[in-house]
Amino acid sequence: MQLSTAPTVGRRRRGNPDSQGLLGVLSVCATLLQLCAGCPSECVCNSLEANCSGRSLVSVPALTSLPEGTHTLLLANNRLSSLPVSAFANLSTLETLDLSNNYLDNLPSRLFRELSNLSDLSLRNNSLTVLDRELFRGLTLLRRLDLSLNGLAAVPLGLLDELQGLTWLSLAGNRLHALERATFEPLVNLQHLELGMNPWECDCNLRDFKHWMEWLIYRGGYVDAVECTLPKDLRGRDIRGVPVEMFNYCLQLEDENGGGAGSTKGGSPPCFRGTAAPSSEGAVVRTEAELPDCVKQRYRPVSVRRAIGTVVIAGVVCGIVCIMMVAAAAYGCIYASLMAKYQRELKKRQPLMGDAEAEGDQEEKQISSVA
Ligand SMILES: *[C@@H]1O[C@H](CO)[C@@H](O)[C@H](O)[C@H]1NC(C)=O
Ligand SMILES: *[C@@H]1O[C@H](CO)[C@@H](O)[C@H](O)[C@H]1NC(C)=O
Ligand SMILES: *[C@@H]1O[C@H](CO)[C@@H](O)[C@H](O)[C@H]1NC(C)=O
Ligand SMILES: *[C@@H]1O[C@H](CO)[C@@H](O)[C@H](O)[C@H]1NC(C)=O
């Protein structure tokens, strides 16, 4: 009995640690599985952050089963060149999405549609040349948007309409030469704007945007350097330091073109013709002293024309008034001399009837007959 029970007890005693260990391993595996079940093998998931950076990925890994509540997804430093429209579907908890340093050249317009909680989006250093104006629709909580180091040639009107929460925006290092004020007006909370390293053309197309930028700075915002590439007179100068008067000719151009200046190329910049011919690179940077003359040359013809117009109109009006006055004076003189003549003749004909009343009656009759 003792012999038979001892081994079973022994076995049981020996078996308990084994099964406990097995259970322990199983439970550790289960918890590990729970934690990393949804984490794609290409990524490292760590407390609601999925890091898939620097893995030479050419396509987005399956993200549908990311740990629930994941708020950060890092896909930087890969080789992504395109994304399917559903790449980020069902990731409404995402707050940070980093797609920087990839080769993305075109994004589906509905790509970010479900990321309603997104607050930080980086598309820095990709190959984007155009953006669909619907791309950022619904990202009302976005606070930070990095579009620097791409090939953007324009920011479409309407692109930023719903980004009222945006405080930080970079468009540095693109191919922008002009921006429209209306595109940026919805960004009422913007505090920081980067526009450097773009080939800005400081002509009439940029005038309204310059005004908007000055308003942004006035209400405490920051804008980095906006250096003009064209016209040559202004190359290398910061547009914020170019006086508003330099853009007055835009209004005059609008006047001359019947207000349709915006549809044409925005007009040539000040003194463009005068300085375009000598294109030696040494003469590119102009001294400040040259600029006012340059402006005056541009303004003179129009102001002279206006002055001449004023003089001509004033002359015509004066002439008409003068002619009317001369005519009135002549009429008065002729009338007075006629009256004098009649009175002299009356006195000659009736020298003895010098009664004042009779003379007055006579006079009245004469006047009425003359009239
Ligand atoms: C993400 O992973 C990459 C490579 O594995 C690493 O270099 C980087 O520091 C990680 N980033 C974060 C925020 O953990
Ligand atoms: C998103 O979730 C819904 C249900 O919640 C599911 O039917 C759909 O297939 C999911 N879409 C993707 C792309 O995972
Ligand atoms: C959005 O983010 C906030 C905190 O930043 C969080 O409380 C909320 O649950 C999130 N909403 C969704 C749908 O994930
Ligand atoms: C931009 O990305 C490429 C590869 O995608 C990388 O080689 C390069 O160093 C990045 N440039 C910057 C300025 O980050």
Side-chain angles (χ1 to χ4, degrees):
M1 292 288 278
Q2 278 182 337
L3 278 171
S4 64
T5 52
T8 49
V9 169
R11 237 182 282 144
R12 210 183 289 153
R13 277 189 190 146
R14 255 180 275 127
N16 261 353
D18 277 359
S19 60
Q20 271 174 0
L22 194 69
L23 276 173
V25 167
L26 275 175
S27 67
V28 166
C29 273
T31 49
L32 272 176
L33 271 172
Q34 266 181 352
L35 271 180
C36 43
C39 195
S41 55
E42 302 91 335
C43 311
V44 175
C45 299
N46 184 6
S47 67
L48 305 185
E49 176 187 293
N51 184 355
C52 322
S53 297
R55 307 294 164 115
S56 303
L57 302 174
V58 293
S59 63
V60 179
L63 301 169
T64 45
S65 49
L66 273 180
E68 206 170 312
T70 296
H71 58 61
T72 299
L73 176 56
L74 308 176
L75 285 161
N77 301 309
N78 283 298
R79 294 184 190 155
L80 305 172
S81 59
S82 67
L83 296 172
V85 67
S86 60
F88 307 119
N90 288 1
L91 291 177
S92 59
T93 57
L94 219 53
E95 290 170 26
T96 301
L97 176 57
D98 188 352
L99 288 162
S100 61
N101 301 338
N102 279 285
Y103 302 112
L104 299 169
D105 60 1
N106 196 9
L107 299 176
S109 68
R110 300 181 64 84
L111 182 64
F112 304 123
R113 195 52 59 91
E114 292 180 34
L115 305 182
S116 54
N117 228 11
L118 200 63
S119 80
D120 186 343
L121 174 60
S122 178
L123 290 161
R124 178 183 166 85
N125 192 21
N126 277 279
S127 309
L128 302 169
T129 52
V130 289
L131 295 176
D132 191 292
R133 64 159 66 192
E134 307 277 313
L135 186 62
F136 301 135
R137 212 32 60 93
L139 303 185
T140 49
L141 299 182
L142 199 65
R143 294 174 59 81
R144 200 184 146 95
L145 176 59
D146 194 342
L147 292 167
S148 60
L149 299 177
N150 278 283
L152 298 174
V155 180
L157 190 63
L159 181 75
L160 310 172
D161 274 6
E162 294 193 6
L163 306 186
Q164 278 113 23
L166 206 66
T167 59
W168 195 102
L169 172 63
S170 179
L171 290 163
N174 279 282
R175 293 192 207 140
L176 300 166
H177 54 82
L179 290 174
E180 275 182 73
R181 177 188 181 131
T183 313
F184 290 81
E185 268 172 349
L187 304 179
V188 289
N189 285 305
L190 198 67
Q191 286 299 313
H192 182 107
L193 178 60
E194 293 186 357
L195 296 170
M197 296 184 290
N198 278 288
W200 298 114
E201 290 178 18
C202 298
D203 62 9
C204 293
N205 285 323
L206 212 50
R207 184 184 57 130
D208 281 351
F209 183 75
K210 173 179 157 66
H211 287 166
W212 178 82
M213 234 166 25
E214 277 157 7
W215 175 77
L216 173 66
I217 293 166
Y218 171 75
R219 63 177 174 86
Y222 166 85
V223 183
D224 69 341
V226 181
E227 282 190 4
C228 306
T229 300
L230 286 175
K232 290 194 171 177
D233 307 83
L234 300 179
R235 182 172 292 178
R237 288 176 68 105
D238 191 326
I239 193 173
R240 293 168 307 171
V242 176
V244 170
E245 287 73 20
M246 288 291 284
F247 293 89
N248 281 357
Y249 76 98
C250 301
L251 291 174
Q252 288 160 1
L253 279 175
E254 276 170 27
D255 283 352
E256 284 167 25
N257 299 356
S263 52
T264 64
K265 177 69 185 103
S268 55
C271 306
F272 192 74
R273 254 169 272 143
T275 50
S279 57
S280 66
E281 283 299 306
V284 155
V285 180
R286 315 275 298 193
T287 63
E288 293 210 22
E290 281 175 278
L291 286 169
D293 277 350
C294 168
V295 180
K296 270 186 234 151
Q297 272 174 23
R298 183 82 195 181
Y299 288 170
R300 201 172 290 139
V302 179
S303 55
V304 165
R305 244 178 290 145
R306 285 201 177 156
I308 289 172
T310 312
V311 166
V312 166
I313 290 169
V316 167
V317 170
C318 276
I320 290 170
V321 169
C322 283
I323 288 167
M324 284 169 73
M325 282 169 74
V326 165
Y331 180 77
C333 283
I334 291 166
Y335 184 79
S337 65
L338 278 178
M339 286 307 297
K341 204 175 169 188
Y342 269 115
Q343 281 193 2
R344 255 179 275 124
E345 278 176 14
L346 272 173
K347 278 178 187 167
K348 269 184 215 161
R349 261 184 248 159
Q350 296 164 319
L352 297 175
M353 289 172 68
D355 191 344
E357 274 184 35
E359 210 176 297
D361 287 351
Q362 289 280 354
E363 214 173 79
E364 268 178 31
K365 278 176 201 161
Q366 299 288 349
I367 290 167
S368 57
S369 68
V370 165

